[in-house]
Amino acid sequence: MKVALVLGGGGARGLAHIGVIKYLSEKKFTPDLVVGCSMGAIIGGVYAAGYSSKLIEDIGRELARDANREVLKPSLSLTELYDSSRFERFLKRLVGKIRIEEMPIKFAANAYDVISQREVILDRGSLVSALRASASLPGVYETIHFQRENLTLMDGGVVDPIPIGIARRMGADFVIAVNVLERFPKGQIFASLPHFHRKKGILPFLGRALAFKRENVLNGLIAWFMASQGALVNYLLETQKPDILIEPDLMGISSILDFSKYDEIVYAGYKAAKEKLEGVLENLRGDKGQRSQEILR
């Protein structure tokens, strides 16, 4: 039996994947395939590259501590809110020149090509390029262009924030999926609005100009992205059901860019994995061993 671990996107909330990996490590269970999107691709990528659970925890803690310097440093460019060159340097320090096809665990990340408007499965080539492409949040980081391949890539979560379908396509018989995003919509309300009237004059204009902040733009962008991602996740989990779904309790984490609650997020992932996988991994290990014996015969 080929077991896949699918790690969904979710920014800082994706640190919960570290807790899931910690639990798998304690149980000495290794999946045959890891498929990740965005933050799930970054954490899944280093895991599939052979990094220990302890080292991944240390990397996550460092990222949480230095997020404002490493991955959330404001950019001077008009094409992105945060400095993607800093993000790229962080990824290069993380995985160097590792190639995906040489990793001990089979791995794939996903991205979205804005030219062909298709999902792209990144299962070969440079790991750092795959992680950079998969985690290129629209507006947060600029898209990444590969001229020879004629690809302009952005975050895979745009079309597939929890790539269960990719894992099935790559031969997975059993899928353990981890979703860290809230599901939307959360219901509907009726409202009656008065006629909108914008105040004119120099004072209201100056008030709006002085109130403008980069964070206000970002908050609106993130709110839109989380709502669209949550609706898409809801649809994908209904149409491409995993065999085991792990959804950590992250109600206290309101922003996908808030890395300040590292320990709380990682523990939520560990706790959810333990609740869902207790007793399951032993059966999967037995099934994998039985299949290996059948192949040898």
Side-chain angles (χ1 to χ4, degrees), residues 18 21-23 25 47 51-58:
I18 297 174
I21 289 170
K22 180 179 180 180
Y23 180 78
S25 177
Y47 175 53
Y51 290 35
S52 69
S53 171
K54 175 65 168 60
L55 180 55
I56 295 171
E57 285 186 76
D58 290 342

Side-chain angles (χ1 to χ4, degrees), residues 65-245:
R65 185 186 66 237
D66 299 332
N68 291 337
R69 186 178 65 200
E70 297 284 6
V71 297
L72 296 179
K73 184 175 178 60
S75 174
L76 298 177
S77 170
L78 296 177
T79 61
E80 59 185 4
L81 287 170
Y82 290 111
D83 188 348
S84 56
S85 66
R86 288 280 186 137
F87 180 40
E88 288 159 11
R89 286 200 291 272
F90 168 76
L91 292 176
K92 287 175 182 177
R93 288 201 309 274
L94 193 61
V95 299
K97 296 184 179 181
I98 295 173
R99 294 187 65 80
I100 295 172
E101 58 267 35
E102 297 170 357
M103 288 158 56
I105 302 175
K106 191 172 181 60
F107 173 75
N110 70 336
Y112 176 68
D113 177 32
V114 299
I115 296 175
S116 66
Q117 298 181 338
R118 292 182 297 182
E119 183 176 15
V120 179
I121 302 171
L122 305 166
D123 64 342
R124 299 180 302 280
S126 166
L127 177 59
V128 70
S129 293
L131 302 187
R132 165 67 170 89
S134 185
S136 297
L137 220 64
V140 175
Y141 297 124
E142 64 182 3
T143 55
I144 180 169
H145 182 64
F146 297 90
Q147 187 170 354
R148 190 176 68 179
E149 292 77 12
N150 194 31
L151 294 172
T152 298
L153 302 178
M154 66 168 54
D155 197 296
V158 169
V159 290
D160 195 359
I162 187 159
I164 297 165
I166 292 176
R168 298 286 191 197
R169 182 175 175 179
M170 294 178 70
D173 303 300
F174 193 96
V175 174
I176 301 169
V178 186
N179 172 45
V180 296
L181 290 167
E182 293 185 56
R183 301 212 209 173
F184 286 83
K186 294 188 172 183
Q188 299 171 325
I189 59 173
F190 288 91
S192 174
L193 301 177
H195 181 72
F196 177 77
H197 176 70
R198 181 184 291 273
K199 292 182 179 179
K200 299 181 180 180
I202 188 65
L203 290 179
F205 173 79
L206 288 175
R208 290 194 298 272
L210 292 173
F212 175 80
K213 291 182 180 179
R214 188 186 200 93
E215 291 78 9
N216 293 342
V217 176
L218 180 62
N219 289 341
L221 181 66
I222 294 301
W224 159 77
F225 192 70
M226 288 187 70
S228 62
Q229 293 281 278
L232 190 50
V233 161
N234 212 24
Y235 169 77
L236 290 171
L237 290 175
E238 288 297 321
T239 57
Q240 301 177 14
K241 293 182 182 294
D243 297 282
I244 296 286
L245 176 62

